[in-house]
Amino acid sequence: MKLLPYIIILTLLSGCGSTPSTDTPNIPTTSISGKAVVGAITTGTVYLKDSLNKEISTSTAADGSYFLNTTGLKKPYLMKAVFSNNSTLYSIVADNGVAHINSTTNWIATLAAFGLRLAEVYLYIKGELLVLLANIAGSIADSISS
């Protein structure tokens, strides 16, 4: 199994990290909203996959903003945005609130996934492994902001 070394590493790092806080306390606790942007492109579709492998999606507004109702979904989430120019960016989100999808969140997700292709991670990861990735991504984001 090609993923076994990564699963072992993720298991060892499971105690690391924290959940990034949100800056907007007025967002309902059963939703995620934000902006999805790649360069100047803001039109596309935002997908969210929960820890039980349930997927929802929505189109972005002209400015890249989006809103997803996460009622009944299990945190954390793996998100992707597919833009009108066929670019795809990812974000690992630990909780509801504000979550942007851009080149920085894609870079953090890439680092957290230890070199796995994010497209495959999006297709196959769920449950505790997604929780581990969210913790790692939170640690990376905390390190960047401090």
Side-chain angles (χ1 to χ4, degrees), residues 81-105:
V82 180
F83 296 92
S84 59
N85 67 352
N86 292 321
S87 295
T88 302
L89 295 178
Y90 294 86
S91 184
I92 300 169
V93 181
D95 205 347
N96 294 308
V98 177
H100 301 298
I101 305 172
N102 54 42
S103 58
T104 302
T105 65

Side-chain angles (χ1 to χ4, degrees), residues 32-47 58-68 79-84 89 98-102:
I32 290 185
S33 62
K35 285 195 175 186
V37 178
V38 60
I41 308 295
T42 56
T43 56
T45 304
V46 172
Y47 298 87
T58 190
S59 296
T60 62
D63 66 350
S65 61
Y66 70 89
F67 176 87
L68 290 163
M79 299 181 68
K80 73 176 176 179
V82 180
F83 296 92
S84 59
L89 295 178
V98 177
H100 301 298
I101 305 172
N102 54 42

Side-chain angles (χ1 to χ4, degrees), residues 25-32 67 70 96-97:
N26 296 332
I27 299 294
T29 57
T30 57
S31 68
I32 290 185
F67 176 87
T70 57
N96 294 308

Side-chain angles (χ1 to χ4, degrees), residues 6 10 92 108-118 121 133 136:
Y6 296 108
L10 289 173
I92 300 169
I108 291 170
T110 300
L111 288 176
F114 291 102
L116 295 173
R117 290 194 302 245
L118 287 171
V121 171
L133 278 182
I136 294 166

